[in-house]
Amino acid sequence: MSKKIKRIGVITSGGDAPGMNAAIRAVVRACSYYHISCYGFYNGYNGLINGNFEELDARSVRNIINLGGTFLKSARSKEFRTKEGREKAYKVLKKEQVDGLILIGGDGTFTGGQIFSREYDIPVIGVPGTIDNDIYGTSHTIGYDTALNTVVEAIDKIRDTASSHDRLFFIEVMGRDAGFIALNTGIGAGAEEILIPEENLGLDRLLDSLEKSRRSGKNSSIVIVSEGDKIGKNVFQLADYVKENLPYYDAKVTVLGHIQRGGIPSCFDRVLASRMSVKAVELLLDGQKNVMVGLKDDDIITCPLDDVIHEKPKINKDLLRISEILST
Amino acid sequence: MSKKIKRIGVITSGGDAPGMNAAIRAVVRACSYYHISCYGFYNGYNGLINGNFEELDARSVRNIINLGGTFLKSARSKEFRTKEGREKAYKVLKKEQVDGLILIGGDGTFTGGQIFSREYDIPVIGVPGTIDNDIYGTSHTIGYDTALNTVVEAIDKIRDTASSHDRLFFIEVMGRDAGFIALNTGIGAGAEEILIPEENLGLDRLLDSLEKSRRSGKNSSIVIVSEGDKIGKNVFQLADYVKENLPYYDAKVTVLGHIQRGGIPSCFDRVLASRMSVKAVELLLDGQKNVMVGLKDDDIITCPLDDVIHEKPKINKDLLRISEILST
Amino acid sequence: MSKKIKRIGVITSGGDAPGMNAAIRAVVRACSYYHISCYGFYNGYNGLINGNFEELDARSVRNIINLGGTFLKSARSKEFRTKEGREKAYKVLKKEQVDGLILIGGDGTFTGGQIFSREYDIPVIGVPGTIDNDIYGTSHTIGYDTALNTVVEAIDKIRDTASSHDRLFFIEVMGRDAGFIALNTGIGAGAEEILIPEENLGLDRLLDSLEKSRRSGKNSSIVIVSEGDKIGKNVFQLADYVKENLPYYDAKVTVLGHIQRGGIPSCFDRVLASRMSVKAVELLLDGQKNVMVGLKDDDIITCPLDDVIHEKPKINKDLLRISEILST
Amino acid sequence: MSKKIKRIGVITSGGDAPGMNAAIRAVVRACSYYHISCYGFYNGYNGLINGNFEELDARSVRNIINLGGTFLKSARSKEFRTKEGREKAYKVLKKEQVDGLILIGGDGTFTGGQIFSREYDIPVIGVPGTIDNDIYGTSHTIGYDTALNTVVEAIDKIRDTASSHDRLFFIEVMGRDAGFIALNTGIGAGAEEILIPEENLGLDRLLDSLEKSRRSGKNSSIVIVSEGDKIGKNVFQLADYVKENLPYYDAKVTVLGHIQRGGIPSCFDRVLASRMSVKAVELLLDGQKNVMVGLKDDDIITCPLDDVIHEKPKINKDLLRISEILST
């Protein structure tokens, strides 16, 4: 039987994502609602190791639901990957009488949390927060929807210039291992081609498609390239390759970069962060552990951290088909 | 056996919604992809009746995916409710050899389409487009996600003033019959109270909640009120009632109004509109009729128009509970 | 000879405006740069009266340059209008050894400050912060540029619906005494008519213009109405009047309200607030008093508070002419 | 005596800028108001050479005031730099009876226009449109204000991540020859350092400043680098240099690129474009030629194209001082 939870800790870890503040707020407000104490640890696992924390109450989190980033800050902790690091963290939690942890972050965060939890029997609950949406066990991660909007707004701006100057733009978006962002923003921004890590269309296919596009009367084109695309060339090499082979194209490159991680969270991300985080607190109170909360259809579900860590979410390949139809 | 489709018509009808242009674009591009002809009729059913249309090809719909409103324009047609009106529309379709219709709109649009289809054996496919999300058979309607973002951005602005002046704001959002917008934006904007048509919390409960909020140290508060809230008072009467009973509150009212219908569609709405509309064309080609396309989890599904018209979608009442926890 | 300034106080007072936080930040950073102490008083003059303040250093104001509202909060103080109130304020300043005041606000704020300064020989410097731009001695007030953008973005959204439904919209914008917002946003949003307090075009002229507009093939129209328009009818009465006289118009009303006061400040407002506030600190250090900083062309200038209080800025009437030409 | 103007031509040329559509609209509407004909030529000077144009009336330019880019498209024409090219252009204008030209663009555009005008006695009027603000004779160019907002919004997003991860970001903004964008967005976004083409602060100064910033308790920092900064290193080399010398900084690079050219124009740019373009038409009607319209304080002024071409506008160096004070 699990012991009664009187105090929980919360961290944000890994890459920051819009909605993380909304998630912390919901953790804190739920603790307040259920009359338990909440400690916010700074800089991800480093805060656990160094005892860098603050007690948070309902008023500590006012007016942050709409702020990007995370006020608890985030970090990737090398020390937590060592046995010594985790032991330090455990001693801090024991000394401070923290009975459970809520981990807001991604894959790496959950892997560390799972190991820690098994070593020291601290219940942990994962809340998926990353713009990449590359986490098994949930249809959406916190920050993903906002990033999609940030990217399409940026491409809308670039399309103004593409159309005005009859240019071809290669735009690199985030997603080292997963094409979620590329695929959805490619359709959302009306891109002519989308290159993702999950599928190698080949360079010939790209040239064919751009030629066809030109013949059909399109003078400007957008190609979205996921950071980790399969074609084996980076976005600059791709542009050069196309310029060599289709010299009538005036090809330009934009790497969207870190603007994709920040920004005011969308309503969807705020509601998602709020629902998931309240549920995470309730799960701890309920004696559960080592699961991640997720979204499926309109319900908040749970998934064992073991599955989350070992499985990969799949992109919806039907979107590739849709993209082809729409770029007719 | 259904006859082969060679030409389809498309209309937008009822209140306009962001993403309708993306939907029209996807209908047109899908027709082009499948080598069939596409006529866009203007002003909803009125365009059918008056033969006011234009043939649309892939190039006609370039650079519109990011525009709010609908370039085919929309209207509520009184004439189409009459037998004479529908007969005129049928004659136009017959003369122009239009074999099927795609109707982008809401409840009223589908009701008219269903009657018309039965009278004249014209296959129709519905695509749900309305900001209110009040349509059975889909988790999301086109335009709803954008409207949520528009509303939370507006409330974020109002909260700046609420916080700076320690004020209470009553904000009326759209939703005459359904609390979807109020509920989600209330949580997303961190409102203290949310009043929706589906649930009567009562005026005493509202006063209690505001008093508690004040005692807990909150000096500014936001109350979201759905147009059609159950409490039986409009937003101005509510504010007056609170000022009378809790005179320490400096209560103000904002009616967000028509800004909620417009704006640049979110990525979600553009992708949703694109997927649904491609599917709608494919359904017609496939010999189907009198169904609406919908979203469920991450799949495009179909639902008989009969069910769409006669059932009401349900709000997720768990959100009310979440809202109460978060306004602690 | 003025005594040496070692500590200054800063308040925000009157209606809040985007950029006020940027202004406070610049005051605080300039104090830090010049090695003097800075006290931020809360709730405008009420904070002076009640001794409600906090010492602010360079780190207290990090990450606020982009936030709307004012973290020092604002208020209109009735007590400061009384001799007793001002005496209390003076005692607080004396006790806390505050040698000068920076007042971020509008007309009312400066009037109070001027009286106070004369009664107690405290040097005050005004920084014009209000969205209405109705202050003599500066071409732009802090918050005005942001409000213009907020309003045109809102009207862009409404125009989506106006165009889609062939409607006429009456949109009320802020500006009780001055038509700056109405005039500029009317041109910026492509309005057909603009009604401002400075000019009575008359109802006949409005009807003529709308009729002409209709005949010229425009089906949708936007009329911008300043809160304080001269025509003697509020925006709802105007819409009713037009519906009666030009029944083919489907006229709707939107009152933009408090969304105009909030929001993320534009780059212009952040730079303006920064430049003005640094200058305000330097003026105090320089022994100056009872002036307001202002913008003229690209220079920060000063203007005696006496003139600021007694003069009215003038709108640029050429804009009315431009508006007429553009709505051809 | 100049001959009576009955038809004018308008082009957009050089890099596109937000507000160019608003400028074209105002040219067209002013022509309509003054009962003269207006031809829009496509692709800058290439449209003149190839006779690629369209007659534009008041209705042709509806609903474009808020669109980025330019619907007349833009290009840099090599052929127009040759005598043969300009002769072709002249023949087109003569054949089509175009009596004067309005050139919306930048330096290069005006240089070509000036030569052409002298060779063939065609009156030309320049309207300054470029995001870089690097044109003599006006305080603001069309598109500049919008670009400032686009850049600070992007940096706001990046700052979310910088703060969350205690990182140093080098952000490259546009401005090959002029630091206007860097300087204003650096102040507007609260950057710690700003590197511009007009001023070489030196690498030592940069390291000193970053070290001081670190010691003062700042953990995250933003450095804005103009494309054409004087320090002689590109933004990636700068980041490497700092990482080598200040290894405690986790330095990242973002090149904002083409998102800066596009986007919905700000209210300021729409009004500026409208006023300047109406004036340009009126100048032609008034018999004037070879001048550019400009903004000074709140007035539309004119400046001989000769001066525009040969002089350089100066940045306000006081902004560098302000930036230093604010990054305390």
Side-chain angles (χ1 to χ4, degrees):
Chain A
M1 205 199 88
S2 67
K3 78 172 196 190
K4 197 154 173 288
I5 301 280
K6 289 183 193 150
R7 170 171 299 141
I8 69 164
V10 58
I11 63 167
T12 48
S13 169
D16 65 315
M20 280 187 163
N21 278 322
I24 301 167
R25 171 182 178 269
V27 167
V28 172
R29 293 271 166 98
C31 287
S32 170
Y33 183 83
Y34 289 115
H35 305 294
I36 61 174
S37 161
C38 180
Y39 282 10
F41 289 85
Y42 287 95
N43 304 309
Y45 287 121
N46 292 334
L48 290 187
I49 293 171
N50 308 322
N52 184 8
F53 66 88
E54 195 177 343
E55 177 147 24
L56 301 170
D57 68 13
R59 295 291 74 73
S60 329
V61 291
R62 69 165 78 175
N63 290 341
I64 66 165
I65 196 170
N66 59 334
L67 301 184
T70 155
F71 84 95
L72 289 180
K73 302 195 175 209
S74 187
R76 289 186 171 84
S77 171
K78 280 183 198 161
E79 202 176 350
F80 197 72
R81 293 201 198 148
T82 67
K83 220 172 161 33
E84 295 70 31
R86 292 192 298 273
E87 198 182 340
K88 280 196 208 166
Y90 174 67
K91 284 182 177 164
V92 167
L93 293 185
K94 201 166 173 199
K95 179 172 165 239
E96 302 296 341
Q97 303 186 2
V98 175
D99 306 317
L101 281 180
I102 290 177
L103 312 171
I104 304 167
D107 243 29
T109 306
F110 300 150
T111 305
Q114 175 79 323
I115 295 170
F116 182 62
S117 169
R118 287 193 175 150
E119 283 174 349
Y120 296 106
D121 196 28
I122 294 278
V124 305
I125 305 288
V127 176
T130 165
I131 63 161
D132 291 326
N133 209 39
D134 57 348
I135 297 183
Y136 182 85
T138 186
S139 67
H140 289 76
T141 56
I142 297 166
Y144 170 56
D145 182 67
T146 303
L148 295 184
N149 286 329
T150 300
V151 172
V152 295
E153 282 166 27
I155 305 177
D156 284 353
K157 290 187 171 76
I158 293 171
R159 190 177 278 285
D160 286 342
T161 293
S163 301
S164 299
H165 288 273
D166 289 343
R167 276 183 190 152
L168 169 64
F169 270 92
F170 286 84
I171 301 175
E172 187 191 283
V173 301
M174 285 193 171
R176 217 173 286 278
D177 308 308
F180 289 101
I181 292 178
L183 208 41
N184 280 275
T185 61
I187 291 176
E192 275 67 36
E193 278 293 330
I194 305 171
L195 306 180
I196 55 172
E198 286 89 347
E199 193 97 3
N200 187 348
L201 299 176
L203 286 166
D204 288 349
R205 155 70 201 267
L206 177 63
L207 294 183
D208 279 0
S209 160
L210 290 172
E211 268 196 303
K212 208 187 77 186
S213 179
R214 185 73 163 198
R215 278 197 310 271
S216 80
K218 282 195 193 180
N219 293 315
S220 63
S221 290
I222 304 278
V223 178
I224 302 298
V225 185
S226 206
E227 275 176 314
D229 89 284
K230 263 273 181 48
I231 233 164
K233 292 187 181 290
N234 74 30
V235 70
F236 293 98
Q237 294 167 328
L238 273 175
D240 286 343
Y241 183 84
V242 167
K243 273 192 274 195
E244 264 167 51
N245 287 277
L246 306 175
Y248 44 82
Y249 268 116
D250 179 14
K252 302 273 174 189
V253 170
T254 294
V255 176
L256 288 183
H258 276 85
I259 61 166
Q260 297 167 82
R261 292 217 168 282
I264 296 168
S266 68
C267 185
F268 183 95
D269 275 331
R270 300 182 194 188
V271 174
L272 182 66
S274 300
R275 293 180 68 191
M276 283 181 164
S277 301
V278 167
K279 182 73 172 184
V281 171
E282 292 173 342
L283 287 168
L284 275 181
L285 291 177
D286 210 42
Q288 295 206 43
K289 59 182 180 180
N290 301 8
V291 296
M292 185 190 79
V293 289
L295 182 72
K296 187 175 161 51
D297 210 345
D298 193 32
D299 297 315
I300 303 299
I301 57 165
T302 60
C303 179
L305 280 181
D306 255 349
D307 296 354
V308 172
I309 293 164
H310 296 107
E311 305 281 332
K312 284 261 164 234
K314 294 208 166 40
I315 55 158
N316 185 337
K317 291 213 174 166
D318 197 47
L319 291 180
L320 280 175
R321 200 179 64 86
I322 297 287
S323 165
E324 200 193 327
I325 292 173
L326 294 177
S327 59
T328 300
Chain B
M1 206 199 85
S2 67
K3 78 171 195 191
K4 197 152 174 285
I5 301 281
K6 290 185 192 148
R7 171 171 299 141
I8 69 165
V10 57
I11 63 166
T12 49
S13 168
D16 64 316
M20 280 187 163
N21 278 321
I24 301 166
R25 171 183 179 268
V27 167
V28 173
R29 293 270 166 100
C31 286
S32 170
Y33 183 83
Y34 289 115
H35 305 295
I36 60 173
S37 159
C38 181
Y39 280 12
F41 290 84
Y42 288 95
N43 305 308
Y45 288 118
N46 291 335
L48 289 188
I49 293 171
N50 308 322
N52 183 8
F53 65 88
E54 194 176 344
E55 177 148 24
L56 302 171
D57 67 14
R59 294 293 74 74
S60 329
V61 290
R62 69 165 79 175
N63 291 341
I64 67 165
I65 196 171
N66 59 334
L67 300 185
T70 156
F71 84 94
L72 289 180
K73 303 197 175 210
S74 188
R76 288 184 172 83
S77 169
K78 280 183 198 160
E79 201 176 350
F80 197 72
R81 294 201 199 145
T82 66
K83 216 166 165 33
E84 294 71 31
R86 291 193 298 273
E87 199 183 337
K88 281 195 207 166
Y90 173 67
K91 285 182 177 165
V92 167
L93 293 184
K94 202 166 170 199
K95 179 175 165 232
E96 301 296 340
Q97 304 186 1
V98 175
D99 307 316
L101 280 180
I102 291 178
L103 313 171
I104 304 168
D107 243 28
T109 305
F110 301 150
T111 305
Q114 176 79 327
I115 294 170
F116 182 63
S117 169
R118 287 191 175 153
E119 284 174 348
Y120 296 105
D121 195 28
I122 296 278
V124 305
I125 305 287
V127 175
T130 165
I131 63 162
D132 291 327
N133 209 40
D134 58 349
I135 296 183
Y136 182 83
T138 186
S139 67
H140 290 76
T141 56
I142 298 166
Y144 170 56
D145 183 66
T146 303
L148 295 183
N149 286 330
T150 300
V151 171
V152 295
E153 281 166 28
I155 305 178
D156 285 353
K157 290 188 172 73
I158 294 171
R159 188 176 279 286
D160 287 341
T161 293
S163 300
S164 298
H165 287 274
D166 291 342
R167 275 183 190 152
L168 169 65
F169 269 91
F170 286 84
I171 301 175
E172 187 190 284
V173 301
M174 283 192 171
R176 218 173 286 278
D177 308 307
F180 290 100
I181 292 179
L183 208 41
N184 280 276
T185 60
I187 291 176
E192 276 67 35
E193 278 293 330
I194 304 169
L195 306 180
I196 56 172
E198 287 88 346
E199 192 98 3
N200 187 349
L201 299 176
L203 286 165
D204 290 349
R205 157 69 202 270
L206 177 64
L207 294 183
D208 279 0
S209 161
L210 289 173
E211 266 196 305
K212 209 188 76 185
S213 178
R214 184 74 164 200
R215 278 197 311 271
S216 80
K218 282 195 193 178
N219 293 315
S220 62
S221 289
I222 303 279
V223 177
I224 303 299
V225 185
S226 206
E227 275 175 315
D229 90 284
K230 264 277 181 46
I231 236 163
K233 290 184 182 292
N234 75 29
V235 69
F236 294 98
Q237 294 167 327
L238 272 174
D240 286 343
Y241 183 83
V242 167
K243 274 193 274 196
E244 264 168 50
N245 287 277
L246 307 175
Y248 46 81
Y249 268 117
D250 179 13
K252 302 273 174 188
V253 169
T254 295
V255 175
L256 287 183
H258 276 85
I259 62 166
Q260 297 168 83
R261 292 219 170 276
I264 295 168
S266 68
C267 185
F268 183 94
D269 275 331
R270 299 184 195 187
V271 174
L272 181 66
S274 299
R275 294 178 68 191
M276 281 180 166
S277 301
V278 167
K279 181 73 173 183
V281 171
E282 293 174 342
L283 287 169
L284 275 182
L285 290 177
D286 211 41
Q288 296 206 42
K289 59 183 180 180
N290 301 6
V291 296
M292 186 190 78
V293 291
L295 182 72
K296 186 175 162 53
D297 210 344
D298 194 31
D299 296 315
I300 303 298
I301 57 166
T302 59
C303 180
L305 279 181
D306 255 348
D307 295 354
V308 172
I309 293 163
H310 295 107
E311 305 281 331
K312 284 260 163 235
K314 292 207 167 40
I315 56 158
N316 185 336
K317 290 214 175 166
D318 197 47
L319 291 179
L320 280 175
R321 201 181 63 86
I322 297 287
S323 165
E324 197 192 328
I325 292 173
L326 294 176
S327 59
T328 300
Chain C
M1 206 199 85
S2 68
K3 77 172 197 189
K4 197 154 173 288
I5 301 280
K6 289 184 193 148
R7 171 171 299 140
I8 69 164
V10 58
I11 63 167
T12 48
S13 169
D16 65 315
M20 281 187 163
N21 278 321
I24 301 167
R25 172 182 178 269
V27 167
V28 172
R29 293 269 166 99
C31 287
S32 170
Y33 183 83
Y34 289 115
H35 305 294
I36 61 173
S37 161
C38 181
Y39 281 10
F41 290 84
Y42 287 95
N43 304 309
Y45 287 119
N46 291 335
L48 290 187
I49 294 170
N50 308 323
N52 183 8
F53 66 88
E54 196 177 341
E55 177 148 24
L56 301 172
D57 67 15
R59 294 291 75 73
S60 329
V61 290
R62 70 165 77 173
N63 291 341
I64 66 165
I65 196 170
N66 59 335
L67 300 185
T70 156
F71 84 95
L72 288 180
K73 302 196 175 207
S74 188
R76 289 186 170 83
S77 171
K78 280 184 198 161
E79 201 177 350
F80 196 72
R81 293 201 199 148
T82 66
K83 219 173 161 30
E84 295 70 33
R86 292 193 297 273
E87 198 182 341
K88 280 195 208 166
Y90 174 66
K91 285 182 177 163
V92 167
L93 292 185
K94 202 167 172 197
K95 180 174 164 235
E96 301 296 339
Q97 304 186 359
V98 175
D99 305 318
L101 281 180
I102 290 176
L103 313 171
I104 304 167
D107 242 29
T109 305
F110 300 150
T111 305
Q114 175 79 323
I115 295 170
F116 182 62
S117 169
R118 287 193 173 150
E119 283 174 349
Y120 296 106
D121 196 28
I122 295 277
V124 305
I125 306 287
V127 175
T130 165
I131 62 161
D132 292 325
N133 208 40
D134 57 348
I135 296 184
Y136 182 84
T138 187
S139 67
H140 289 77
T141 55
I142 298 166
Y144 170 55
D145 183 66
T146 303
L148 295 184
N149 286 330
T150 300
V151 171
V152 294
E153 282 165 28
I155 304 178
D156 284 352
K157 290 187 171 75
I158 293 171
R159 189 176 279 284
D160 287 341
T161 293
S163 300
S164 299
H165 287 273
D166 290 342
R167 275 183 191 154
L168 169 65
F169 269 92
F170 286 84
I171 302 176
E172 187 191 283
V173 301
M174 284 192 171
R176 217 172 286 278
D177 308 310
F180 290 100
I181 292 179
L183 208 40
N184 280 275
T185 60
I187 291 176
E192 276 66 37
E193 278 293 330
I194 304 171
L195 306 180
I196 55 173
E198 287 88 347
E199 193 96 3
N200 187 348
L201 299 176
L203 286 166
D204 289 348
R205 154 70 201 266
L206 176 64
L207 294 184
D208 278 359
S209 161
L210 290 172
E211 267 196 303
K212 208 188 77 186
S213 179
R214 185 72 164 199
R215 278 197 310 270
S216 80
K218 283 194 192 179
N219 293 314
S220 61
S221 290
I222 303 278
V223 177
I224 303 298
V225 185
S226 207
E227 275 176 315
D229 90 285
K230 264 272 180 50
I231 233 163
K233 291 186 181 290
N234 74 30
V235 69
F236 293 98
Q237 293 167 327
L238 272 174
D240 286 343
Y241 183 83
V242 167
K243 272 192 276 195
E244 264 168 50
N245 287 277
L246 306 175
Y248 44 81
Y249 269 117
D250 179 13
K252 301 274 174 187
V253 170
T254 294
V255 175
L256 288 183
H258 276 84
I259 61 166
Q260 297 169 81
R261 293 218 167 280
I264 295 168
S266 68
C267 184
F268 183 95
D269 274 331
R270 298 183 196 188
V271 174
L272 181 66
S274 299
R275 293 179 70 191
M276 282 180 164
S277 301
V278 167
K279 181 74 172 183
V281 171
E282 292 173 343
L283 287 169
L284 275 181
L285 291 176
D286 211 42
Q288 295 206 42
K289 60 182 182 182
N290 300 9
V291 296
M292 185 190 80
V293 290
L295 182 72
K296 186 175 161 53
D297 210 346
D298 194 32
D299 297 315
I300 303 298
I301 57 166
T302 59
C303 179
L305 281 182
D306 255 349
D307 295 354
V308 173
I309 294 164
H310 296 107
E311 305 281 333
K312 283 263 164 233
K314 294 208 166 39
I315 55 157
N316 185 337
K317 290 212 175 167
D318 197 48
L319 292 179
L320 280 175
R321 199 180 65 86
I322 298 288
S323 165
E324 199 193 327
I325 292 173
L326 295 176
S327 60
T328 299
Chain D
M1 208 199 85
S2 67
K3 78 169 195 192
K4 198 154 173 283
I5 301 281
K6 289 185 194 150
R7 172 171 299 140
I8 69 165
V10 57
I11 63 166
T12 48
S13 169
D16 65 314
M20 280 187 163
N21 278 322
I24 301 166
R25 171 183 179 269
V27 167
V28 173
R29 293 270 166 99
C31 287
S32 170
Y33 183 82
Y34 290 114
H35 304 295
I36 61 173
S37 160
C38 181
Y39 281 11
F41 290 85
Y42 287 95
N43 305 307
Y45 287 119
N46 292 334
L48 290 188
I49 294 170
N50 309 323
N52 184 7
F53 66 87
E54 194 176 345
E55 176 148 24
L56 301 172
D57 68 14
R59 294 293 75 72
S60 327
V61 291
R62 68 165 79 175
N63 291 340
I64 67 165
I65 196 170
N66 59 334
L67 300 185
T70 155
F71 84 95
L72 288 180
K73 302 198 175 208
S74 188
R76 288 183 172 85
S77 170
K78 281 184 197 158
E79 202 177 349
F80 197 72
R81 294 200 198 147
T82 66
K83 220 172 159 28
E84 294 69 33
R86 292 193 297 274
E87 200 183 337
K88 280 195 208 166
Y90 174 67
K91 286 183 178 164
V92 168
L93 293 185
K94 204 168 166 197
K95 179 174 165 234
E96 302 296 339
Q97 305 187 1
V98 175
D99 307 315
L101 280 180
I102 290 177
L103 312 170
I104 304 168
D107 244 28
T109 305
F110 300 149
T111 306
Q114 175 79 325
I115 294 169
F116 182 62
S117 169
R118 287 191 175 153
E119 285 174 348
Y120 296 105
D121 195 29
I122 295 279
V124 304
I125 306 286
V127 176
T130 164
I131 63 162
D132 292 326
N133 208 41
D134 57 350
I135 296 184
Y136 182 84
T138 186
S139 66
H140 289 77
T141 56
I142 297 167
Y144 170 55
D145 183 66
T146 303
L148 295 183
N149 286 331
T150 300
V151 172
V152 296
E153 281 165 28
I155 305 177
D156 285 353
K157 290 188 171 73
I158 294 172
R159 190 176 278 285
D160 287 341
T161 293
S163 301
S164 299
H165 286 273
D166 290 343
R167 274 183 191 154
L168 169 65
F169 269 92
F170 287 84
I171 301 175
E172 187 190 285
V173 301
M174 285 192 170
R176 218 172 286 277
D177 308 306
F180 290 100
I181 292 178
L183 208 41
N184 280 276
T185 60
I187 291 176
E192 276 67 36
E193 278 293 331
I194 304 169
L195 306 180
I196 57 173
E198 287 88 347
E199 193 98 1
N200 186 349
L201 298 175
L203 286 166
D204 289 350
R205 155 69 202 270
L206 177 64
L207 293 183
D208 278 1
S209 161
L210 289 173
E211 266 197 305
K212 209 188 77 186
S213 178
R214 185 74 163 200
R215 279 198 310 273
S216 81
K218 281 195 194 179
N219 294 315
S220 62
S221 288
I222 303 279
V223 177
I224 303 299
V225 185
S226 205
E227 275 175 315
D229 89 284
K230 264 276 181 45
I231 233 163
K233 290 185 181 293
N234 74 29
V235 70
F236 294 98
Q237 293 168 327
L238 271 175
D240 286 344
Y241 183 83
V242 166
K243 273 193 274 196
E244 265 168 48
N245 287 277
L246 306 176
Y248 45 82
Y249 268 116
D250 180 13
K252 302 274 174 188
V253 170
T254 294
V255 176
L256 288 184
H258 276 85
I259 61 165
Q260 296 168 83
R261 292 220 169 276
I264 295 168
S266 67
C267 185
F268 183 94
D269 275 332
R270 299 184 196 187
V271 174
L272 181 65
S274 300
R275 293 179 69 191
M276 283 180 164
S277 302
V278 167
K279 181 74 172 182
V281 171
E282 292 173 341
L283 287 169
L284 276 181
L285 290 177
D286 210 40
Q288 296 206 40
K289 58 181 180 180
N290 300 7
V291 296
M292 186 191 79
V293 290
L295 183 72
K296 186 175 162 55
D297 209 345
D298 194 31
D299 296 315
I300 302 299
I301 57 166
T302 59
C303 179
L305 280 181
D306 255 349
D307 296 354
V308 172
I309 293 164
H310 295 107
E311 306 280 332
K312 284 261 163 234
K314 293 206 166 39
I315 56 158
N316 185 336
K317 289 215 174 165
D318 198 48
L319 291 179
L320 279 175
R321 201 179 64 84
I322 298 288
S323 166
E324 198 193 328
I325 292 173
L326 294 177
S327 60
T328 300

